Amino acid sequence: QSVLTQPPSVSGTPGQTVTISCSGSSSNTGTYAVNWYQQVSGMAPKALMYSHNQRPSWVPDRFSGSKSGTSASLAINGLQSEDEAYYYCAAWDDSLNAVIFGGGTKLTVL
Amino acid sequence: QVQLQESGPGLVKSSETLSLTCLVSGSSLTSYYWSWIRQPPGKGLEWIGYVYYSGNTKYNPSLKSRVSISIDTSEKTFSLKVTSVTAADSAVYYCVRTASAESFDIWGQGTMVTVSS
């Protein structure tokens, strides 16, 4: 069981908006930056969002991030078939003295 | 563009040492941390640790007693060693450029390492 809790799966149809949550505690998401990664099946993960809501240059603005208290969220607007992937959140954890990842969320585009 | 490429044996015997190297191209090694992250088949991601260009390191406490990460700035490589491996160490190992706030911005393609008995 991961310290950062994500829903195992979410789904949506093309054009819809989906949101993936990442719930932690004061020792991780409540204090430190939350980063998000996308992993298409069979590929290496790719950076998607830094410090809650900063997108790398290669990420379209359909993707957005937010954080409130000890929870963070990733929103994907205008869902496309190429968005089908696993999504992981990550943050530093003071108690574990390590970077920790959420268990991952599988996004299915119906 | 920045590229990271892992290399090393794909098969390691139980109780032996796993050794991997990552070659960095298109990026200076300075001003970044350089991490190793692994992913067992069908499972999630686990941060192993990182090395700074100065040689300073930080490891995941869950692996700290068995792990060492080193860097060779002249060769533009950094390396991972995991001692006394077991089947639980079988995973895809990724080398990753790491910026501030432990953000992993550039990933290698990954290399699968299987521990055999």
Side-chain angles (χ1 to χ4, degrees):
Chain A
Q1 184 125 5
S2 302
V3 175
L4 301 183
T5 302
Q6 298 181 235
S9 63
V10 297
S11 63
T13 57
Q16 274 190 329
T17 296
V18 295
T19 302
I20 299 171
S21 60
C22 174
S23 178
S25 67
S26 57
S27 66
N28 43 68
T29 56
T31 303
Y32 296 99
V34 177
N35 303 312
W36 290 89
Y37 303 93
Q38 178 194 58
Q39 186 176 32
V40 174
S41 181
M43 304 292 287
K46 210 169 58 167
L48 194 64
M49 198 72 59
Y50 303 134
S51 297
H52 329 317
N53 58 8
Q54 304 300 305
R55 280 179 290 108
S57 58
W58 56 82
V59 176
D61 60 6
R62 301 187 293 106
F63 292 84
S64 62
S66 63
K67 193 181 91 158
S68 178
T70 58
S71 291
S73 293
L74 175 73
I76 309 172
N77 298 316
L79 201 59
Q80 299 181 3
S81 58
E82 68 215 45
D83 299 332
E84 189 162 285
Y86 279 90
Y87 292 82
Y88 294 91
C89 61
W92 179 260
D93 186 284
D94 263 342
S95 300
L96 297 174
N97 202 27
V99 177
I100 55 173
F101 288 90
T105 298
K106 182 176 171 57
L107 168 62
T108 301
V109 181
L110 302 169
Chain B
Q1 76 273 26
V2 181
Q3 289 187 315
L4 282 69
Q5 180 66 58
E6 305 88 351
S7 63
L11 190 63
V12 180
K13 290 184 179 177
S14 183
S15 80
E16 295 190 346
T17 296
L18 178 161
S19 296
L20 296 173
T21 297
C22 182
L23 176 64
V24 180
S25 58
S27 173
S28 168
L29 266 64
T30 59
S31 302
Y32 290 101
Y33 294 82
W34 301 92
S35 294
W36 289 95
I37 292 170
R38 70 182 184 179
Q39 185 174 34
K43 296 190 177 180
L45 300 164
E46 179 180 33
W47 174 72
I48 298 170
Y50 57 53
V51 61
Y52 195 46
Y53 76 94
S54 62
N56 290 343
T57 55
K58 197 169 195 72
Y59 302 128
N60 189 325
S62 69
L63 295 165
K64 189 174 181 178
S65 63
R66 299 193 295 125
V67 166
S68 67
I69 300 175
S70 58
I71 193 165
D72 186 333
T73 52
S74 63
E75 295 291 322
K76 298 200 76 173
T77 62
F78 63 105
S79 300
L80 169 72
K81 289 190 188 304
V82 182
T83 61
S84 305
V85 296
T86 68
D89 295 307
S90 294
V92 175
Y93 285 76
Y94 296 101
C95 60
V96 190
R97 192 178 79 170
T98 306
S100 61
E102 283 77 24
S103 57
F104 306 117
D105 65 346
I106 306 293
W107 296 63
Q109 66 183 26
T111 187
M112 178 68 204
V113 178
T114 301
V115 176
S116 68
S117 54

